[in-house]
């Protein structure tokens, strides 16, 4: 029971909490980036609006796309969307569910940026200072007798403390615009929270059974992908181990043949059997510097074929460096010089 | 039995204490939000009240929705309310209990915001400085030709030039702040008295035995949903593993090998079940692996793992060099 709990926690924590953690980190990063970013209103009528509104809109787009990039489920979603049907039918509700969950998580950091920007108010002051009607703030005569372009130029300087001389008017105007900006920010937050509330709290009223199904299968797709990668890795490892083992044994077999030709009287096989089994096994028959060098050289110049043989007889004289398996069976070693041909047939039997 | 009790206890303490923890965290977040929010009164007669009351009311609504969203019991309650009857009868008392627990927890953060607002007083001053009678205070700046209303609406903006040489605005702010704090403390007192009375007199109006039952079954629903999610996750994992292994094994082929000596059979059968070989699931050639990977993309296996229970073994037939069958697995 405890093992199950721990395993579940591990699985759960691996998938959902990880995504939620990334989501939270991005939200904090977006708030921190805003506070670190030095807002520099250009204070020119042609550029104020673009700068102010651009700063409100472009970083959220960037965070949204970054959310998609950082989310692992995006590639799972894309794969599931594009795969050929094959034996397994495609269910569009699963795709929709995955897309919705990825989108929901990616929307949090942009929402944080937009609300922090609106609450701070600087971007609104920059964008909308030229649209102000300064008569509402009191009797200020600075704009009397100016042409339209000059009026706009003066008003555009309001966001810049150093460029605008009338301190009180500037304070009053920025205060006014900041209030509007904050009101927009609160309304934006209210809307987002209300929409999230509708989605999370009201959804169970509709399609709850279908929802459980799609949740299970979308989670299954993710896990299946991971399992497949794991199984491939394990398979590759075992494949490599056996391939290399057979290669070494193949070389060892050839070396044995070579040595035997040179010193046919010297029966070194008996000495081999006296050594400890494990050491001998590890050496795989390669015991001389020259042999090892040959093994390494051949590994690069002439890799073995990707075909593991289950046959483990001693094909003594047919042993080429193409890695045909020359391993020995239990105690059935080396002695037979039969010319055995190997053939493999594929026969499939099913026990039904 | 012991283990089960332990697990249940863990679930129970976990669920309620987690909800309470989240509730308190949200209340702290609301205080932090208030302190970090740079409140700027517009200081214009037409907008002061609107803006201030907006700031006093909209954030609590947002915090309430957030409180409902974050609470786990919301989902449990909605599921229980909306489910078809099926084999299990519905108990409306359970739904009511869950609803009231959820509402109580969700109301904490908004109340904290409202109280902090009132006790701090900035927003109250902004809203109600217009309504103060300026005759109560001396030092009204009358050198400017502004309306009294406009002057009063500028009181929250301390740095305004018309208040440079007088303490009029300080006196008005202080006065309004007192009102605000009085209202705040009264609300707090009222809530505490209400809570205390409710706690004291609830047993008179409530059937305690029924309450125990209701609480038990609400907790049960929560635990049941958690366990169901857990089981689904574990099941998906096992299903995926079997499906993948089955896919690998479907691709392998049986082999016929030619060997010279019959005595080799009894020794060699031991070798076959090598652990490494087992992990290969019978896929031992490059072409097989390529075919497997290709098929995994173009034709994913159907979602059915019953075959793995009756999976076919690789059958090996041994023949000697003359072609005579020595031994066969069939």
């Amino acid at each position: 029971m405890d093992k199950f709990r721990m395993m579940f926690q591990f699985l759960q924590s691996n998938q959902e909490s990880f995504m939620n953690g990334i989501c939270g980190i991005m939200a904090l990063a977006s708030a921190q980036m805003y506070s670190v970013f030095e807002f520099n209103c250009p204070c020119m009528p042609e550029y104020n609006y673009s700068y102010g509104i651009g700063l409100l809109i472009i970083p959220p787009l960037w965070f949204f796309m970054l959310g998609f990039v950082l989310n692992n489920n995006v590639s799972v979603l894309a794969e599931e969307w594009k795969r050929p049907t094959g034996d397994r039918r495609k269910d569009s509700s699963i795709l929709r569910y995955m897309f919705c969950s990825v989108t929901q998580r990616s929307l949090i950091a942009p929402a944080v940026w937009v609300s922090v920007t609106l609450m701070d108010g600087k971007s609104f002051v920059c964008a909308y200072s030229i649209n102000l009607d300064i008569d509402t703030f009191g009797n200020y005569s600075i704009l009397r007798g100016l042409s339209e372009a000059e009026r706009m130029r003066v008003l555009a300087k309001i966001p810049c403390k150093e460029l605008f001389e009338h301190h009180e008017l500037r304070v009053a105007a920025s205060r006014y615009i900041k209030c509007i900006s904050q009101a927009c920010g609160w309304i934006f937050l209210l809307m987002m929270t209300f929409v999230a509330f509708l989605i999370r709290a009201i959804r169970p009223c509709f399609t709850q059974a279908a929802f459980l199904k799609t949740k299970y299968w979308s989670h299954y797709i993710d896990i299946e992908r991971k399992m497949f990668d794991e199984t491939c890795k394990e398979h590759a490892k075992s494949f490599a181990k056996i391939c290399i083992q057979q290669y070494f044994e193949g070389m060892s077999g050839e070396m044995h043949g070579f040595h035997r030709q040179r010193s046919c009287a010297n029966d070194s096989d008996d000495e081999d059997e006296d050594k400890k089994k494990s050491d001998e096994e590890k050496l795989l028959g390669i015991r001389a510097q020259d042999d090892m060098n040959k093994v390494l050289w051949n590994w690069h110049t002439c890799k073995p074929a990707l075909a593991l043989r289950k046959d483990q007889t001693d094909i003594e004289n047919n042993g080429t460096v193409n890695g045909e398996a020359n391993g020995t069976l239990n105690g059935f070693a080396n002695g037979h010089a039969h010319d055995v041909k190997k053939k493999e047939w594929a026969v499939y039997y099913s026990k039904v | 039995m012991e283990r089960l009790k332990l697990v249940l206890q863990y679930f129970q303490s976990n669920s309620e204490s987690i909800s309470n923890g989240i509730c308190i965290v949200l209340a702290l977040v609301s205080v932090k939000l208030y302190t970090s929010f740079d409140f700027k009164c517009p200081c214009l007669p037409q907008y002061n009240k609107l803006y201030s009351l907006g700031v006093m009311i909209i954030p609590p609504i947002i915090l309430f929705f957030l409180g409902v969203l974050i609470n786990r019991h919301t989902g449990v309650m909605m599921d229980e309310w909306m489910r078809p009857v099926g084999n299990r009868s519905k108990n409306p008392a359970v739904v009511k209990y869950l609803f009231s627990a959820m509402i109580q927890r969700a109301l904490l953060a908004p109340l904290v915001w409202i109280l902090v607002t009132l006790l701090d007083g900035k927003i109250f001053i902004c809203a109600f400085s217009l309504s103060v009678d300026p005759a109560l205070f001396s030092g009204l700046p009358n050198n400017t030709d502004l309306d009294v209303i406009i002057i009063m609406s500028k009181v929250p903006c301390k740095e305004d030039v018309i208040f440079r040489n007088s303490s009029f605005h300080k006196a008005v702010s202080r006065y309004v702040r007192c009102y605000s704090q009085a209202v705040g403390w009264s609300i707090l007192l009222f809530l505490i008295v209400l809570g205390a009375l409710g706690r004291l007199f609830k047993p008179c109006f409530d059937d305690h035995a029924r309450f125990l039952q209701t609480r038990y079954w609400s907790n049960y629903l929560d635990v049941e949903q958690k366990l169901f999610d857990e089981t689904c996750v574990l099941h998906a994992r096992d299903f995926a593993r079997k499906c993948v292994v089955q896919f690998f094994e479907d691709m392998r082929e049986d082999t016929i090998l030619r060997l010279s000596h019959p005595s080799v059979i009894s020794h060699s059968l031991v070798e076959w079940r090598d652990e490494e070989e087992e992990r290969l699931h019978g896929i031992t050639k490059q072409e097989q692996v390529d075919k497997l990977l290709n098929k995994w993309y173009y034709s994913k296996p159907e979602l059915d793992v019953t075959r793995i229970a009756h999976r076919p073994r690789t059958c090996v037939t041994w023949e000697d060099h003359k072609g005579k069958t020595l031994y066969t697995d069939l």
Side-chain angles (χ1 to χ4, degrees):
Chain A
M1 212 46 173
D2 290 328
K3 207 166 51 160
F4 273 65
R5 173 114 271 249
M6 271 165 54
M7 227 171 87
F8 171 70
Q9 262 175 356
F10 168 74
L11 290 172
Q12 193 70 319
S13 66
N14 243 9
Q15 204 198 338
E16 275 197 21
S17 313
F18 182 69
M19 280 297 120
N20 289 341
I22 294 252
C23 195
I25 286 176
M26 272 186 59
L28 288 173
S30 117
Q32 184 64 18
M33 258 185 80
Y34 182 81
S35 59
V36 165
F37 175 69
E38 211 185 290
F39 188 86
N40 253 336
C41 194
C43 290
M44 291 194 291
E46 309 84 46
Y47 301 121
N48 269 7
Y49 185 78
S50 329
Y51 186 83
I53 299 298
L55 210 68
L56 188 62
I57 294 185
I58 294 179
L61 283 176
W62 184 78
F63 277 112
F64 183 68
M65 288 194 287
L66 188 67
F68 266 81
V69 164
L70 290 179
N71 199 338
N72 290 340
N73 288 346
V74 168
S75 50
V76 176
L77 172 67
E79 262 183 47
E80 178 63 16
W81 185 32
K82 290 311 275 180
R83 70 168 173 96
T85 308
D87 274 339
R88 195 186 285 184
R89 333 171 247 113
K90 291 219 252 190
D91 195 351
S92 62
S93 62
I94 296 179
L95 292 171
R96 275 198 303 268
Y97 174 82
M98 288 169 78
F99 182 70
C100 282
S101 96
V102 167
T103 308
Q104 277 171 27
R105 288 203 167 92
S106 307
L107 277 176
I108 291 189
V112 167
W113 176 277
V114 169
S115 40
V116 169
T117 308
L118 288 175
M119 293 296 180
D120 193 36
K122 285 197 286 247
S123 72
F124 256 47
V125 171
C126 187
Y128 293 114
S129 65
I130 29 181
N131 303 336
L132 274 179
D133 178 18
I134 57 169
D135 290 329
T136 46
F137 303 114
N139 281 337
Y140 291 101
S141 54
I142 52 166
L143 293 185
R144 301 266 162 78
L146 291 176
S147 71
E148 189 60 35
E150 281 174 11
R151 224 178 102 87
M152 295 221 339
R153 224 176 300 134
V154 171
L155 285 175
K157 294 211 180 94
I158 288 178
C160 297
K161 229 183 293 203
E162 321 77 52
L163 299 177
F164 197 77
E165 306 91 42
H166 300 265
H167 178 70
E168 306 81 38
L169 176 60
R170 193 185 66 81
V171 165
S174 6
R175 191 182 278 268
Y176 174 70
I177 300 182
K178 274 192 182 167
C179 286
I180 296 182
S181 167
Q182 284 177 350
C184 290
W186 283 119
I187 292 179
F188 171 76
L189 268 181
L190 180 68
M191 264 174 27
M192 296 283 289
T193 317
F194 187 64
V195 166
F197 171 77
L198 282 181
I199 291 178
R200 293 287 296 261
I202 308 293
R203 193 208 26 83
C205 297
F206 315 102
T207 68
Q208 177 67 349
F211 173 74
L212 284 175
K213 190 180 81 155
T214 45
K215 194 166 82 158
Y216 179 86
W217 287 117
S218 63
H219 185 253
Y220 171 82
I221 289 173
D222 190 31
I223 280 204
E224 191 190 44
R225 191 181 184 231
K226 282 197 192 94
M227 286 282 114
F228 185 74
D229 289 340
E230 252 180 58
T231 313
C232 278
K233 273 196 197 106
E234 279 173 20
H235 186 269
K237 200 165 146 189
S238 305
F239 199 102
K241 252 192 205 168
I242 295 183
C243 194
I244 291 173
Q245 198 169 351
Q246 287 180 351
Y247 172 71
F248 267 79
E249 284 169 1
M251 296 303 296
S252 148
E254 187 187 287
M255 293 303 136
H256 267 139
F258 189 60
H259 284 305
R260 212 170 289 119
Q261 276 173 24
R262 279 205 299 188
S263 56
C264 40
N266 188 8
D267 196 357
S268 54
D269 292 323
D270 292 337
E271 284 172 25
D272 290 349
E273 277 155 20
D274 287 341
K275 280 193 187 160
K276 281 188 191 145
K277 215 53 170 126
S278 60
D279 285 342
E280 183 59 30
E281 277 168 12
K282 276 190 196 136
L283 285 179
L284 299 170
I286 309 293
R287 275 172 286 145
Q289 183 186 25
D290 293 337
D291 296 346
M292 192 63 213
N293 285 340
K294 188 153 183 213
V295 165
L296 294 170
W297 183 266
N298 279 339
W299 183 253
H300 176 67
T301 51
C302 191
K303 277 215 166 61
L306 285 167
L308 303 177
R309 310 278 174 180
K310 282 219 169 102
D311 174 18
Q312 296 192 6
T313 54
D314 186 15
I315 305 177
E316 191 177 323
N317 296 327
N318 282 344
T320 64
V321 287
N322 274 333
E324 281 182 0
N326 276 331
T328 58
L329 292 172
N330 263 348
F332 185 64
N334 300 336
H336 296 259
H338 292 285
D339 193 8
V340 177
K341 281 216 197 75
K342 228 166 44 336
K343 231 201 274 182
E344 276 189 0
W345 283 324
V347 178
Y348 183 76
Y349 299 96
S350 73
K351 280 190 172 174
V352 172
Chain B
M1 207 54 196
E2 268 298 299
R3 264 216 210 138
L4 208 63
K5 244 191 271 180
L6 214 64
V7 166
L8 275 179
Q9 235 175 13
Y10 171 63
F11 276 146
Q12 181 161 12
S13 69
N14 214 18
S15 163
E16 277 206 15
S17 55
I18 279 187
S19 298
N20 288 341
I22 289 184
C23 180
I24 290 178
V25 164
L26 203 60
L28 291 173
V29 162
S30 101
V31 172
K32 178 80 182 137
L33 199 62
Y34 181 80
T35 53
S36 60
F37 174 60
D38 185 20
F39 178 74
K40 286 229 157 24
C41 195
C43 292
L44 296 167
Q46 45 295 33
Y47 297 121
N48 269 8
K49 204 171 233 176
L50 184 66
Y51 183 70
S52 318
L53 290 179
V55 171
M56 258 182 70
I57 293 179
I58 293 183
I61 297 179
I62 293 175
L63 288 166
F64 177 74
F65 282 144
L66 270 180
V68 168
L69 273 178
I70 293 179
N71 198 344
R72 229 195 98 76
H73 289 159
T74 312
V76 174
M77 182 199 79
M78 291 303 292
D79 282 345
E80 178 63 14
W81 186 29
M82 296 307 298
R83 70 173 172 94
V85 176
N87 277 341
R88 195 189 279 187
S89 63
K90 290 223 254 192
N91 187 357
V94 170
V95 177
K96 271 189 223 142
Y97 176 81
L98 284 171
F99 181 74
S100 71
M102 177 192 84
I103 292 284
Q104 279 170 31
R105 288 198 172 96
L107 278 177
L108 181 68
L111 283 173
V112 166
W113 174 278
I114 291 178
L115 284 172
V116 169
T117 307
L118 288 171
L119 292 176
D120 188 39
K122 276 193 307 235
I123 298 183
F124 225 64
I125 294 174
C126 187
F128 294 111
S129 65
L130 281 170
S131 329
V132 172
D133 180 12
L136 293 170
F137 307 98
S138 64
L140 178 70
N142 48 11
N143 47 351
T144 57
D145 49 358
L146 291 171
D147 257 348
V148 173
I149 285 271
I150 295 184
I151 295 179
M152 293 311 285
S153 69
K154 281 190 194 279
V155 161
C157 302
K158 295 187 273 275
E159 60 278 352
D160 205 299
V161 66
I162 58 175
F163 297 124
R164 206 165 282 162
N165 292 329
S166 82
S167 56
F168 175 75
H169 68 284
K170 282 198 195 134
V172 175
S173 311
R174 196 181 281 270
Y175 176 72
V176 180
R177 183 176 281 141
C178 285
Y179 257 106
S180 158
Q181 287 179 347
V183 171
W185 285 118
S186 318
I187 290 181
L188 190 59
L189 184 67
F190 172 71
L191 287 172
I192 290 179
V193 165
L194 197 67
L197 286 176
R199 268 284 168 98
L200 280 172
F201 294 118
K202 193 158 77 117
C204 302
F205 300 105
D206 229 352
D207 184 1
H208 191 64
R210 192 162 297 278
F211 168 72
L212 286 175
Q213 284 180 355
T214 315
R215 195 172 67 171
Y216 176 85
W217 288 115
S218 341
N219 192 49
Y220 169 82
L221 287 175
D222 187 23
V223 171
E224 192 188 45
Q225 198 185 65
K226 269 202 202 95
L227 274 176
F228 182 74
D229 289 339
E230 258 188 50
T231 313
C232 278
V233 166
L234 290 172
H235 184 266
R237 192 178 167 88
D238 285 334
F239 198 108
R241 185 168 266 286
K242 290 204 166 70
C243 196
V244 168
V245 167
Q246 191 174 274
F247 180 73
F248 268 72
E249 290 182 352
D250 279 350
M251 307 282 301
R252 74 177 170 185
E253 300 142 346
D254 286 330
T255 50
I256 291 182
L257 303 171
R258 289 171 172 271
L259 285 172
S260 55
H261 203 278
S263 70
V264 82
I265 292 162
S266 50
H267 295 295
S268 66
L269 281 176
V270 175
E271 299 275 335
W272 292 94
R273 289 289 149 233
D274 195 34
E275 208 185 278
E276 297 291 346
E277 303 258 341
E278 178 97 354
R279 286 208 204 106
L280 289 178
H281 306 297
I283 308 294
T284 51
K285 293 198 190 134
Q286 182 186 21
E287 299 85 43
Q288 286 177 328
V289 175
D290 285 343
K291 199 166 147 200
L292 181 145
L293 293 171
N294 211 34
K295 194 167 175 215
W296 182 255
Y297 178 70
Y298 279 106
S299 183
K300 275 212 167 60
E302 54 180 346
L303 290 166
D304 184 352
V305 294
T306 37
R307 280 184 295 129
I308 208 167
H310 311 283
R311 63 175 154 194
R313 241 173 359 108
T314 314
C315 295
V316 181
T317 302
W318 300 75
E319 295 181 356
D320 66 4
H321 58 279
K322 293 200 199 85
K324 194 177 95 182
T325 305
L326 300 168
Y327 175 79
T328 173
D329 276 341
L330 294 174

